[in-house]
Amino acid sequence: MSTKGRVAVVTGGTRGIGAAISIKLKEAGYAVAANYAGNDERANQFKSVTGISIHKFDVADYEACVAACTRITAELGPIAVLVNNAGITRDATMSKLNHDMWQEVLDTNLGGCFNMAKAVWDGMRERNFGRIVNIGSINGQAGQYGQVNYAAAKSGIHGFTKALAQEGAPKGITVNAIAPGYIDTDMVAAVPKPVLDKIVARIPVGRLGKADEIARGVLFLVADDGGFITGSTLSINGGQHMY
Ligand code: CAA
């Protein structure tokens, strides 16, 4: 499973699941560029602990994504691996959900996948090699009370993955998704405790997942010898949702 020092970009790559992915890829020999949107303190801390390069830009901003990918390519080399992990929640029931909360989540979680994939796509095609992993969610597969915006965006990621996989296949580019369940991160910690307790009670494995348990799925999918795995969704959710 050679990596040949390939360059990997991980969006939202300095915290939570993204941080675990960045670290896992670095340990496997990839040259990693970890994107983050706003939390300078946590990003700088991540950089000093891991030695992984950090890149601040908003994945919802197409021009910013293109500029960042150009910079990363100049600094580290052509981008071979893209992990679209950046995501936000703006949870509320439909009566309280406003248009801004809808748009922000769609623009970041789903729009970000398009913006980044578009920015790296032609280069991957020219080089006849690419690995894209999009981080979806159990809540995009099954829906979730209070997450009309998030579930729609994550569900969109799963469709995006299957369509783009078909276009990438003849050019050596695989496009896959991972659908994490409830993982022990800041995002999940923000769910009110009584609500979270009820969710955890429905996880057959009996606990929240660990970020590293998602990262190992990413490492598997991006491997050089993973060329026949494309358009698939790997569900890593402790048995909470099976279909
Ligand atoms: N099914 C049915 N009814 C539910 C429900 C559910 N799952 N959850 C809440 N309700 C009911 C409540 O019992 C309550 O009913 P009553 O008024 O009759 O008591 C009513 O809905 C309102 O609930 P809340 O008091 O919770 O309403 P709120 O406006 O204060 O909060 C909410 C609503 C923001 C959606 C809150 O319930 C919440 O945060 N839920 C968690 C949503 C969630 O799971 N988010 C996942 C975040 S992590 C993530 O997204 C990562 C990933 O990919 C897995």
Side-chain angles (χ1 to χ4, degrees), residues 89 91-93 96 137-139 144-147 150 180-182 187-188 191-192 195 199:
T89 51
D91 292 355
T93 49
K96 294 181 191 161
S137 168
I138 186 175
N139 294 347
Q144 169 61 40
Y145 190 101
Q147 283 202 309
Y150 185 89
Y182 281 73
M187 183 184 272
V188 167
V191 175
V195 178
I199 291 170

mmCIF file with all atom_site columns, all heavy atoms in Angstrom, residues 89 91-93 96 137-139 144-147 150 180-182 187-188 191-192 195 199, ligand 1:
data_model
loop_
_atom_site.group_PDB
_atom_site.id
_atom_site.type_symbol
_atom_site.label_atom_id
_atom_site.label_alt_id
_atom_site.label_comp_id
_atom_site.label_asym_id
_atom_site.label_entity_id
_atom_site.label_seq_id
_atom_site.pdbx_PDB_ins_code
_atom_site.Cartn_x
_atom_site.Cartn_y
_atom_site.Cartn_z
_atom_site.occupancy
_atom_site.B_iso_or_equiv
_atom_site.pdbx_formal_charge
_atom_site.auth_seq_id
_atom_site.auth_comp_id
_atom_site.auth_asym_id
_atom_site.auth_atom_id
_atom_site.pdbx_PDB_model_num
ATOM   1   N N   . THR A 1 89  ? -23.140 22.206 11.986 1.00 0.00 ? 89  THR A N   1
ATOM   2   C CA  . THR A 1 89  ? -24.565 21.971 12.276 1.00 0.00 ? 89  THR A CA  1
ATOM   3   C C   . THR A 1 89  ? -25.219 23.294 12.662 1.00 0.00 ? 89  THR A C   1
ATOM   4   O O   . THR A 1 89  ? -24.560 24.171 13.249 1.00 0.00 ? 89  THR A O   1
ATOM   5   C CB  . THR A 1 89  ? -24.774 20.999 13.459 1.00 0.00 ? 89  THR A CB  1
ATOM   6   O OG1 . THR A 1 89  ? -23.995 21.451 14.571 1.00 0.00 ? 89  THR A OG1 1
ATOM   7   C CG2 . THR A 1 89  ? -24.387 19.584 13.104 1.00 0.00 ? 89  THR A CG2 1
ATOM   8   N N   . ASP A 1 91  ? -28.663 23.026 14.167 1.00 0.00 ? 91  ASP A N   1
ATOM   9   C CA  . ASP A 1 91  ? -29.827 22.186 14.436 1.00 0.00 ? 91  ASP A CA  1
ATOM   10  C C   . ASP A 1 91  ? -31.012 22.997 14.966 1.00 0.00 ? 91  ASP A C   1
ATOM   11  O O   . ASP A 1 91  ? -30.858 23.836 15.852 1.00 0.00 ? 91  ASP A O   1
ATOM   12  C CB  . ASP A 1 91  ? -29.481 21.111 15.482 1.00 0.00 ? 91  ASP A CB  1
ATOM   13  C CG  . ASP A 1 91  ? -28.493 20.069 14.966 1.00 0.00 ? 91  ASP A CG  1
ATOM   14  O OD1 . ASP A 1 91  ? -28.138 20.116 13.776 1.00 0.00 ? 91  ASP A OD1 1
ATOM   15  O OD2 . ASP A 1 91  ? -28.103 19.190 15.761 1.00 0.00 ? 91  ASP A OD2 1
ATOM   16  N N   . ALA A 1 92  ? -32.164 22.712 14.435 1.00 0.00 ? 92  ALA A N   1
ATOM   17  C CA  . ALA A 1 92  ? -33.422 23.295 14.928 1.00 0.00 ? 92  ALA A CA  1
ATOM   18  C C   . ALA A 1 92  ? -34.575 22.573 14.245 1.00 0.00 ? 92  ALA A C   1
ATOM   19  O O   . ALA A 1 92  ? -34.420 22.089 13.121 1.00 0.00 ? 92  ALA A O   1
ATOM   20  C CB  . ALA A 1 92  ? -33.497 24.787 14.617 1.00 0.00 ? 92  ALA A CB  1
ATOM   21  N N   . THR A 1 93  ? -35.688 22.514 14.921 1.00 0.00 ? 93  THR A N   1
ATOM   22  C CA  . THR A 1 93  ? -36.873 21.948 14.267 1.00 0.00 ? 93  THR A CA  1
ATOM   23  C C   . THR A 1 93  ? -37.363 22.935 13.199 1.00 0.00 ? 93  THR A C   1
ATOM   24  O O   . THR A 1 93  ? -37.019 24.113 13.233 1.00 0.00 ? 93  THR A O   1
ATOM   25  C CB  . THR A 1 93  ? -37.983 21.684 15.308 1.00 0.00 ? 93  THR A CB  1
ATOM   26  O OG1 . THR A 1 93  ? -38.140 22.858 16.094 1.00 0.00 ? 93  THR A OG1 1
ATOM   27  C CG2 . THR A 1 93  ? -37.623 20.520 16.208 1.00 0.00 ? 93  THR A CG2 1
ATOM   28  N N   . LYS A 1 96  ? -38.379 26.488 13.838 1.00 0.00 ? 96  LYS A N   1
ATOM   29  C CA  . LYS A 1 96  ? -37.352 27.455 14.288 1.00 0.00 ? 96  LYS A CA  1
ATOM   30  C C   . LYS A 1 96  ? -36.212 27.610 13.292 1.00 0.00 ? 96  LYS A C   1
ATOM   31  O O   . LYS A 1 96  ? -35.372 28.498 13.432 1.00 0.00 ? 96  LYS A O   1
ATOM   32  C CB  . LYS A 1 96  ? -36.784 27.009 15.643 1.00 0.00 ? 96  LYS A CB  1
ATOM   33  C CG  . LYS A 1 96  ? -37.799 27.052 16.767 1.00 0.00 ? 96  LYS A CG  1
ATOM   34  C CD  . LYS A 1 96  ? -37.165 26.611 18.089 1.00 0.00 ? 96  LYS A CD  1
ATOM   35  C CE  . LYS A 1 96  ? -38.239 26.394 19.143 1.00 0.00 ? 96  LYS A CE  1
ATOM   36  N NZ  . LYS A 1 96  ? -37.773 25.562 20.259 1.00 0.00 ? 96  LYS A NZ  1
ATOM   37  N N   . SER A 1 137 ? -22.976 11.212 6.529  1.00 0.00 ? 137 SER A N   1
ATOM   38  C CA  . SER A 1 137 ? -23.438 11.013 7.901  1.00 0.00 ? 137 SER A CA  1
ATOM   39  C C   . SER A 1 137 ? -24.572 9.996  7.953  1.00 0.00 ? 137 SER A C   1
ATOM   40  O O   . SER A 1 137 ? -25.376 9.904  7.020  1.00 0.00 ? 137 SER A O   1
ATOM   41  C CB  . SER A 1 137 ? -23.950 12.331 8.486  1.00 0.00 ? 137 SER A CB  1
ATOM   42  O OG  . SER A 1 137 ? -24.648 12.103 9.695  1.00 0.00 ? 137 SER A OG  1
ATOM   43  N N   . ILE A 1 138 ? -24.658 9.314  9.064  1.00 0.00 ? 138 ILE A N   1
ATOM   44  C CA  . ILE A 1 138 ? -25.826 8.465  9.333  1.00 0.00 ? 138 ILE A CA  1
ATOM   45  C C   . ILE A 1 138 ? -27.105 9.295  9.200  1.00 0.00 ? 138 ILE A C   1
ATOM   46  O O   . ILE A 1 138 ? -28.140 8.797  8.771  1.00 0.00 ? 138 ILE A O   1
ATOM   47  C CB  . ILE A 1 138 ? -25.713 7.856  10.760 1.00 0.00 ? 138 ILE A CB  1
ATOM   48  C CG1 . ILE A 1 138 ? -26.828 6.859  11.021 1.00 0.00 ? 138 ILE A CG1 1
ATOM   49  C CG2 . ILE A 1 138 ? -25.721 8.946  11.839 1.00 0.00 ? 138 ILE A CG2 1
ATOM   50  C CD1 . ILE A 1 138 ? -26.708 6.146  12.365 1.00 0.00 ? 138 ILE A CD1 1
ATOM   51  N N   . ASN A 1 139 ? -27.015 10.578 9.539  1.00 0.00 ? 139 ASN A N   1
ATOM   52  C CA  . ASN A 1 139 ? -28.210 11.416 9.506  1.00 0.00 ? 139 ASN A CA  1
ATOM   53  C C   . ASN A 1 139 ? -28.580 11.840 8.081  1.00 0.00 ? 139 ASN A C   1
ATOM   54  O O   . ASN A 1 139 ? -29.697 12.295 7.841  1.00 0.00 ? 139 ASN A O   1
ATOM   55  C CB  . ASN A 1 139 ? -28.038 12.627 10.431 1.00 0.00 ? 139 ASN A CB  1
ATOM   56  C CG  . ASN A 1 139 ? -27.947 12.189 11.889 1.00 0.00 ? 139 ASN A CG  1
ATOM   57  O OD1 . ASN A 1 139 ? -28.244 11.037 12.202 1.00 0.00 ? 139 ASN A OD1 1
ATOM   58  N ND2 . ASN A 1 139 ? -27.516 13.081 12.761 1.00 0.00 ? 139 ASN A ND2 1
ATOM   59  N N   . GLN A 1 144 ? -32.795 12.902 10.648 1.00 0.00 ? 144 GLN A N   1
ATOM   60  C CA  . GLN A 1 144 ? -32.680 13.118 12.098 1.00 0.00 ? 144 GLN A CA  1
ATOM   61  C C   . GLN A 1 144 ? -33.560 14.291 12.490 1.00 0.00 ? 144 GLN A C   1
ATOM   62  O O   . GLN A 1 144 ? -33.497 15.355 11.860 1.00 0.00 ? 144 GLN A O   1
ATOM   63  C CB  . GLN A 1 144 ? -31.213 13.395 12.477 1.00 0.00 ? 144 GLN A CB  1
ATOM   64  C CG  . GLN A 1 144 ? -30.986 13.902 13.898 1.00 0.00 ? 144 GLN A CG  1
ATOM   65  C CD  . GLN A 1 144 ? -31.437 12.922 14.967 1.00 0.00 ? 144 GLN A CD  1
ATOM   66  O OE1 . GLN A 1 144 ? -31.243 11.718 14.840 1.00 0.00 ? 144 GLN A OE1 1
ATOM   67  N NE2 . GLN A 1 144 ? -32.066 13.418 16.009 1.00 0.00 ? 144 GLN A NE2 1
ATOM   68  N N   . TYR A 1 145 ? -34.374 14.060 13.479 1.00 0.00 ? 145 TYR A N   1
ATOM   69  C CA  . TYR A 1 145 ? -35.240 15.106 14.042 1.00 0.00 ? 145 TYR A CA  1
ATOM   70  C C   . TYR A 1 145 ? -34.393 16.345 14.348 1.00 0.00 ? 145 TYR A C   1
ATOM   71  O O   . TYR A 1 145 ? -33.372 16.249 15.006 1.00 0.00 ? 145 TYR A O   1
ATOM   72  C CB  . TYR A 1 145 ? -35.857 14.553 15.326 1.00 0.00 ? 145 TYR A CB  1
ATOM   73  C CG  . TYR A 1 145 ? -36.956 15.363 15.934 1.00 0.00 ? 145 TYR A CG  1
ATOM   74  C CD1 . TYR A 1 145 ? -38.280 15.011 15.769 1.00 0.00 ? 145 TYR A CD1 1
ATOM   75  C CD2 . TYR A 1 145 ? -36.650 16.472 16.710 1.00 0.00 ? 145 TYR A CD2 1
ATOM   76  C CE1 . TYR A 1 145 ? -39.289 15.751 16.348 1.00 0.00 ? 145 TYR A CE1 1
ATOM   77  C CE2 . TYR A 1 145 ? -37.653 17.227 17.298 1.00 0.00 ? 145 TYR A CE2 1
ATOM   78  C CZ  . TYR A 1 145 ? -38.980 16.860 17.113 1.00 0.00 ? 145 TYR A CZ  1
ATOM   79  O OH  . TYR A 1 145 ? -39.966 17.589 17.696 1.00 0.00 ? 145 TYR A OH  1
ATOM   80  N N   . GLY A 1 146 ? -34.809 17.493 13.868 1.00 0.00 ? 146 GLY A N   1
ATOM   81  C CA  . GLY A 1 146 ? -34.082 18.740 14.150 1.00 0.00 ? 146 GLY A CA  1
ATOM   82  C C   . GLY A 1 146 ? -32.932 19.002 13.217 1.00 0.00 ? 146 GLY A C   1
ATOM   83  O O   . GLY A 1 146 ? -32.128 19.904 13.452 1.00 0.00 ? 146 GLY A O   1
ATOM   84  N N   . GLN A 1 147 ? -32.816 18.218 12.124 1.00 0.00 ? 147 GLN A N   1
ATOM   85  C CA  . GLN A 1 147 ? -31.672 18.390 11.220 1.00 0.00 ? 147 GLN A CA  1
ATOM   86  C C   . GLN A 1 147 ? -32.091 18.360 9.745  1.00 0.00 ? 147 GLN A C   1
ATOM   87  O O   . GLN A 1 147 ? -31.413 17.756 8.920  1.00 0.00 ? 147 GLN A O   1
ATOM   88  C CB  . GLN A 1 147 ? -30.643 17.289 11.449 1.00 0.00 ? 147 GLN A CB  1
ATOM   89  C CG  . GLN A 1 147 ? -29.785 17.499 12.688 1.00 0.00 ? 147 GLN A CG  1
ATOM   90  C CD  . GLN A 1 147 ? -28.482 16.722 12.582 1.00 0.00 ? 147 GLN A CD  1
ATOM   91  O OE1 . GLN A 1 147 ? -28.505 15.530 12.298 1.00 0.00 ? 147 GLN A OE1 1
ATOM   92  N NE2 . GLN A 1 147 ? -27.369 17.377 12.813 1.00 0.00 ? 147 GLN A NE2 1
ATOM   93  N N   . TYR A 1 150 ? -29.093 19.745 7.764  1.00 0.00 ? 150 TYR A N   1
ATOM   94  C CA  . TYR A 1 150 ? -27.909 18.879 7.811  1.00 0.00 ? 150 TYR A CA  1
ATOM   95  C C   . TYR A 1 150 ? -28.178 17.554 7.086  1.00 0.00 ? 150 TYR A C   1
ATOM   96  O O   . TYR A 1 150 ? -27.351 17.075 6.309  1.00 0.00 ? 150 TYR A O   1
ATOM   97  C CB  . TYR A 1 150 ? -27.553 18.637 9.284  1.00 0.00 ? 150 TYR A CB  1
ATOM   98  C CG  . TYR A 1 150 ? -26.289 17.868 9.549  1.00 0.00 ? 150 TYR A CG  1
ATOM   99  C CD1 . TYR A 1 150 ? -25.069 18.540 9.678  1.00 0.00 ? 150 TYR A CD1 1
ATOM   100 C CD2 . TYR A 1 150 ? -26.303 16.489 9.710  1.00 0.00 ? 150 TYR A CD2 1
ATOM   101 C CE1 . TYR A 1 150 ? -23.901 17.836 9.958  1.00 0.00 ? 150 TYR A CE1 1
ATOM   102 C CE2 . TYR A 1 150 ? -25.140 15.785 9.985  1.00 0.00 ? 150 TYR A CE2 1
ATOM   103 C CZ  . TYR A 1 150 ? -23.945 16.456 10.112 1.00 0.00 ? 150 TYR A CZ  1
ATOM   104 O OH  . TYR A 1 150 ? -22.796 15.757 10.386 1.00 0.00 ? 150 TYR A OH  1
ATOM   105 N N   . PRO A 1 180 ? -20.352 8.441  8.928  1.00 0.00 ? 180 PRO A N   1
ATOM   106 C CA  . PRO A 1 180 ? -20.125 8.188  10.353 1.00 0.00 ? 180 PRO A CA  1
ATOM   107 C C   . PRO A 1 180 ? -21.433 8.232  11.129 1.00 0.00 ? 180 PRO A C   1
ATOM   108 O O   . PRO A 1 180 ? -22.358 8.961  10.768 1.00 0.00 ? 180 PRO A O   1
ATOM   109 C CB  . PRO A 1 180 ? -19.229 9.354  10.802 1.00 0.00 ? 180 PRO A CB  1
ATOM   110 C CG  . PRO A 1 180 ? -18.749 10.008 9.552  1.00 0.00 ? 180 PRO A CG  1
ATOM   111 C CD  . PRO A 1 180 ? -19.806 9.730  8.509  1.00 0.00 ? 180 PRO A CD  1
ATOM   112 N N   . GLY A 1 181 ? -21.474 7.473  12.195 1.00 0.00 ? 181 GLY A N   1
ATOM   113 C CA  . GLY A 1 181 ? -22.554 7.615  13.163 1.00 0.00 ? 181 GLY A CA  1
ATOM   114 C C   . GLY A 1 181 ? -22.164 8.702  14.154 1.00 0.00 ? 181 GLY A C   1
ATOM   115 O O   . GLY A 1 181 ? -21.490 9.669  13.795 1.00 0.00 ? 181 GLY A O   1
ATOM   116 N N   . TYR A 1 182 ? -22.586 8.537  15.395 1.00 0.00 ? 182 TYR A N   1
ATOM   117 C CA  . TYR A 1 182 ? -22.290 9.541  16.428 1.00 0.00 ? 182 TYR A CA  1
ATOM   118 C C   . TYR A 1 182 ? -20.884 9.292  16.993 1.00 0.00 ? 182 TYR A C   1
ATOM   119 O O   . TYR A 1 182 ? -20.618 8.252  17.586 1.00 0.00 ? 182 TYR A O   1
ATOM   120 C CB  . TYR A 1 182 ? -23.367 9.504  17.512 1.00 0.00 ? 182 TYR A CB  1
ATOM   121 C CG  . TYR A 1 182 ? -24.619 10.234 17.057 1.00 0.00 ? 182 TYR A CG  1
ATOM   122 C CD1 . TYR A 1 182 ? -25.465 9.679  16.109 1.00 0.00 ? 182 TYR A CD1 1
ATOM   123 C CD2 . TYR A 1 182 ? -24.923 11.505 17.534 1.00 0.00 ? 182 TYR A CD2 1
ATOM   124 C CE1 . TYR A 1 182 ? -26.601 10.354 15.664 1.00 0.00 ? 182 TYR A CE1 1
ATOM   125 C CE2 . TYR A 1 182 ? -26.044 12.189 17.101 1.00 0.00 ? 182 TYR A CE2 1
ATOM   126 C CZ  . TYR A 1 182 ? -26.879 11.607 16.163 1.00 0.00 ? 182 TYR A CZ  1
ATOM   127 O OH  . TYR A 1 182 ? -27.979 12.289 15.721 1.00 0.00 ? 182 TYR A OH  1
ATOM   128 N N   . MET A 1 187 ? -18.754 18.457 17.951 1.00 0.00 ? 187 MET A N   1
ATOM   129 C CA  . MET A 1 187 ? -20.066 18.587 17.310 1.00 0.00 ? 187 MET A CA  1
ATOM   130 C C   . MET A 1 187 ? -21.119 17.766 18.050 1.00 0.00 ? 187 MET A C   1
ATOM   131 O O   . MET A 1 187 ? -22.213 18.241 18.330 1.00 0.00 ? 187 MET A O   1
ATOM   132 C CB  . MET A 1 187 ? -19.971 18.149 15.840 1.00 0.00 ? 187 MET A CB  1
ATOM   133 C CG  . MET A 1 187 ? -21.256 18.321 15.075 1.00 0.00 ? 187 MET A CG  1
ATOM   134 S SD  . MET A 1 187 ? -21.162 17.708 13.383 1.00 0.00 ? 187 MET A SD  1
ATOM   135 C CE  . MET A 1 187 ? -20.552 19.128 12.516 1.00 0.00 ? 187 MET A CE  1
ATOM   136 N N   . VAL A 1 188 ? -20.769 16.552 18.371 1.00 0.00 ? 188 VAL A N   1
ATOM   137 C CA  . VAL A 1 188 ? -21.723 15.682 19.062 1.00 0.00 ? 188 VAL A CA  1
ATOM   138 C C   . VAL A 1 188 ? -21.887 16.118 20.524 1.00 0.00 ? 188 VAL A C   1
ATOM   139 O O   . VAL A 1 188 ? -22.983 16.052 21.090 1.00 0.00 ? 188 VAL A O   1
ATOM   140 C CB  . VAL A 1 188 ? -21.300 14.200 18.926 1.00 0.00 ? 188 VAL A CB  1
ATOM   141 C CG1 . VAL A 1 188 ? -22.066 13.303 19.876 1.00 0.00 ? 188 VAL A CG1 1
ATOM   142 C CG2 . VAL A 1 188 ? -21.528 13.739 17.479 1.00 0.00 ? 188 VAL A CG2 1
ATOM   143 N N   . VAL A 1 191 ? -24.794 18.367 21.324 1.00 0.00 ? 191 VAL A N   1
ATOM   144 C CA  . VAL A 1 191 ? -26.176 17.867 21.399 1.00 0.00 ? 191 VAL A CA  1
ATOM   145 C C   . VAL A 1 191 ? -26.587 17.844 22.882 1.00 0.00 ? 191 VAL A C   1
ATOM   146 O O   . VAL A 1 191 ? -25.823 17.360 23.722 1.00 0.00 ? 191 VAL A O   1
ATOM   147 C CB  . VAL A 1 191 ? -26.273 16.440 20.792 1.00 0.00 ? 191 VAL A CB  1
ATOM   148 C CG1 . VAL A 1 191 ? -27.667 15.848 20.975 1.00 0.00 ? 191 VAL A CG1 1
ATOM   149 C CG2 . VAL A 1 191 ? -25.881 16.466 19.313 1.00 0.00 ? 191 VAL A CG2 1
ATOM   150 N N   . PRO A 1 192 ? -27.780 18.378 23.193 1.00 0.00 ? 192 PRO A N   1
ATOM   151 C CA  . PRO A 1 192 ? -28.194 18.389 24.604 1.00 0.00 ? 192 PRO A CA  1
ATOM   152 C C   . PRO A 1 192 ? -28.100 16.982 25.222 1.00 0.00 ? 192 PRO A C   1
ATOM   153 O O   . PRO A 1 192 ? -28.475 16.001 24.579 1.00 0.00 ? 192 PRO A O   1
ATOM   154 C CB  . PRO A 1 192 ? -29.655 18.865 24.536 1.00 0.00 ? 192 PRO A CB  1
ATOM   155 C CG  . PRO A 1 192 ? -29.787 19.548 23.213 1.00 0.00 ? 192 PRO A CG  1
ATOM   156 C CD  . PRO A 1 192 ? -28.794 18.933 22.290 1.00 0.00 ? 192 PRO A CD  1
ATOM   157 N N   . VAL A 1 195 ? -30.890 14.357 25.057 1.00 0.00 ? 195 VAL A N   1
ATOM   158 C CA  . VAL A 1 195 ? -31.122 13.896 23.676 1.00 0.00 ? 195 VAL A CA  1
ATOM   159 C C   . VAL A 1 195 ? -30.022 12.908 23.299 1.00 0.00 ? 195 VAL A C   1
ATOM   160 O O   . VAL A 1 195 ? -30.278 11.828 22.755 1.00 0.00 ? 195 VAL A O   1
ATOM   161 C CB  . VAL A 1 195 ? -31.126 15.099 22.683 1.00 0.00 ? 195 VAL A CB  1
ATOM   162 C CG1 . VAL A 1 195 ? -31.310 14.610 21.254 1.00 0.00 ? 195 VAL A CG1 1
ATOM   163 C CG2 . VAL A 1 195 ? -32.210 16.104 23.052 1.00 0.00 ? 195 VAL A CG2 1
ATOM   164 N N   . ILE A 1 199 ? -29.886 8.816  22.155 1.00 0.00 ? 199 ILE A N   1
ATOM   165 C CA  . ILE A 1 199 ? -29.264 8.352  20.903 1.00 0.00 ? 199 ILE A CA  1
ATOM   166 C C   . ILE A 1 199 ? -28.265 7.237  21.205 1.00 0.00 ? 199 ILE A C   1
ATOM   167 O O   . ILE A 1 199 ? -28.270 6.183  20.567 1.00 0.00 ? 199 ILE A O   1
ATOM   168 C CB  . ILE A 1 199 ? -28.587 9.539  20.161 1.00 0.00 ? 199 ILE A CB  1
ATOM   169 C CG1 . ILE A 1 199 ? -29.653 10.510 19.631 1.00 0.00 ? 199 ILE A CG1 1
ATOM   170 C CG2 . ILE A 1 199 ? -27.691 9.040  19.029 1.00 0.00 ? 199 ILE A CG2 1
ATOM   171 C CD1 . ILE A 1 199 ? -29.124 11.824 19.104 1.00 0.00 ? 199 ILE A CD1 1
HETATM 172 N N1  . CAA B 2 .   ? -38.146 12.307 17.954 1.00 0.00 ? 1   CAA B N1  1
HETATM 173 C C1  . CAA B 2 .   ? -39.371 12.752 18.322 1.00 0.00 ? 1   CAA B C1  1
HETATM 174 N N2  . CAA B 2 .   ? -39.558 13.840 19.060 1.00 0.00 ? 1   CAA B N2  1
HETATM 175 C C2  . CAA B 2 .   ? -38.469 14.497 19.471 1.00 0.00 ? 1   CAA B C2  1
HETATM 176 C C3  . CAA B 2 .   ? -37.151 14.088 19.130 1.00 0.00 ? 1   CAA B C3  1
HETATM 177 C C4  . CAA B 2 .   ? -37.032 12.943 18.342 1.00 0.00 ? 1   CAA B C4  1
HETATM 178 N N3  . CAA B 2 .   ? -35.830 12.450 17.973 1.00 0.00 ? 1   CAA B N3  1
HETATM 179 N N4  . CAA B 2 .   ? -36.280 14.946 19.671 1.00 0.00 ? 1   CAA B N4  1
HETATM 180 C C5  . CAA B 2 .   ? -37.001 15.878 20.324 1.00 0.00 ? 1   CAA B C5  1
HETATM 181 N N5  . CAA B 2 .   ? -38.322 15.602 20.206 1.00 0.00 ? 1   CAA B N5  1
HETATM 182 C C6  . CAA B 2 .   ? -39.433 16.340 20.760 1.00 0.00 ? 1   CAA B C6  1
HETATM 183 C C7  . CAA B 2 .   ? -39.199 16.660 22.224 1.00 0.00 ? 1   CAA B C7  1
HETATM 184 O O1  . CAA B 2 .   ? -39.552 15.569 23.023 1.00 0.00 ? 1   CAA B O1  1
HETATM 185 C C8  . CAA B 2 .   ? -40.090 17.862 22.404 1.00 0.00 ? 1   CAA B C8  1
HETATM 186 O O2  . CAA B 2 .   ? -41.417 17.443 22.527 1.00 0.00 ? 1   CAA B O2  1
HETATM 187 P P1  . CAA B 2 .   ? -42.366 18.070 23.662 1.00 0.00 ? 1   CAA B P1  1
HETATM 188 O O3  . CAA B 2 .   ? -42.385 19.558 23.385 1.00 0.00 ? 1   CAA B O3  1
HETATM 189 O O4  . CAA B 2 .   ? -43.689 17.389 23.447 1.00 0.00 ? 1   CAA B O4  1
HETATM 190 O O5  . CAA B 2 .   ? -41.718 17.727 24.967 1.00 0.00 ? 1   CAA B O5  1
HETATM 191 C C9  . CAA B 2 .   ? -40.021 18.568 21.070 1.00 0.00 ? 1   CAA B C9  1
HETATM 192 O O6  . CAA B 2 .   ? -39.541 17.589 20.138 1.00 0.00 ? 1   CAA B O6  1
HETATM 193 C C10 . CAA B 2 .   ? -39.042 19.724 21.082 1.00 0.00 ? 1   CAA B C10 1
HETATM 194 O O7  . CAA B 2 .   ? -37.789 19.211 21.454 1.00 0.00 ? 1   CAA B O7  1
HETATM 195 P P2  . CAA B 2 .   ? -36.698 20.108 22.122 1.00 0.00 ? 1   CAA B P2  1
HETATM 196 O O8  . CAA B 2 .   ? -37.149 20.612 23.444 1.00 0.00 ? 1   CAA B O8  1
HETATM 197 O O9  . CAA B 2 .   ? -35.398 19.384 22.071 1.00 0.00 ? 1   CAA B O9  1
HETATM 198 O O10 . CAA B 2 .   ? -36.728 21.366 21.122 1.00 0.00 ? 1   CAA B O10 1
HETATM 199 P P3  . CAA B 2 .   ? -35.637 22.421 20.987 1.00 0.00 ? 1   CAA B P3  1
HETATM 200 O O11 . CAA B 2 .   ? -36.177 23.422 20.035 1.00 0.00 ? 1   CAA B O11 1
HETATM 201 O O12 . CAA B 2 .   ? -35.146 22.876 22.300 1.00 0.00 ? 1   CAA B O12 1
HETATM 202 O O13 . CAA B 2 .   ? -34.428 21.613 20.315 1.00 0.00 ? 1   CAA B O13 1
HETATM 203 C C11 . CAA B 2 .   ? -33.261 20.348 18.704 1.00 0.00 ? 1   CAA B C11 1
HETATM 204 C C12 . CAA B 2 .   ? -34.627 20.897 19.121 1.00 0.00 ? 1   CAA B C12 1
HETATM 205 C C13 . CAA B 2 .   ? -32.296 21.494 18.491 1.00 0.00 ? 1   CAA B C13 1
HETATM 206 C C14 . CAA B 2 .   ? -33.467 19.630 17.402 1.00 0.00 ? 1   CAA B C14 1
HETATM 207 C C15 . CAA B 2 .   ? -32.733 19.411 19.810 1.00 0.00 ? 1   CAA B C15 1
HETATM 208 O O14 . CAA B 2 .   ? -33.684 18.409 20.060 1.00 0.00 ? 1   CAA B O14 1
HETATM 209 C C16 . CAA B 2 .   ? -31.442 18.751 19.369 1.00 0.00 ? 1   CAA B C16 1
HETATM 210 O O15 . CAA B 2 .   ? -30.377 19.349 19.424 1.00 0.00 ? 1   CAA B O15 1
HETATM 211 N N6  . CAA B 2 .   ? -31.511 17.490 18.923 1.00 0.00 ? 1   CAA B N6  1
HETATM 212 C C17 . CAA B 2 .   ? -30.335 16.749 18.493 1.00 0.00 ? 1   CAA B C17 1
HETATM 213 C C18 . CAA B 2 .   ? -30.265 16.737 17.015 1.00 0.00 ? 1   CAA B C18 1
HETATM 214 C C19 . CAA B 2 .   ? -29.086 15.855 16.640 1.00 0.00 ? 1   CAA B C19 1
HETATM 215 O O16 . CAA B 2 .   ? -29.084 14.658 16.848 1.00 0.00 ? 1   CAA B O16 1
HETATM 216 N N7  . CAA B 2 .   ? -28.069 16.464 16.063 1.00 0.00 ? 1   CAA B N7  1
HETATM 217 C C20 . CAA B 2 .   ? -26.910 15.702 15.691 1.00 0.00 ? 1   CAA B C20 1
HETATM 218 C C21 . CAA B 2 .   ? -25.706 16.562 15.900 1.00 0.00 ? 1   CAA B C21 1
HETATM 219 S S1  . CAA B 2 .   ? -24.216 15.627 15.687 1.00 0.00 ? 1   CAA B S1  1
HETATM 220 C C22 . CAA B 2 .   ? -24.113 15.396 14.044 1.00 0.00 ? 1   CAA B C22 1
HETATM 221 O O17 . CAA B 2 .   ? -24.868 15.894 13.264 1.00 0.00 ? 1   CAA B O17 1
HETATM 222 C C23 . CAA B 2 .   ? -22.988 14.518 13.592 1.00 0.00 ? 1   CAA B C23 1
HETATM 223 C C24 . CAA B 2 .   ? -23.469 13.414 12.787 1.00 0.00 ? 1   CAA B C24 1
HETATM 224 O O18 . CAA B 2 .   ? -23.345 13.441 11.560 1.00 0.00 ? 1   CAA B O18 1
HETATM 225 C C25 . CAA B 2 .   ? -24.085 12.235 13.452 1.00 0.00 ? 1   CAA B C25 1
#
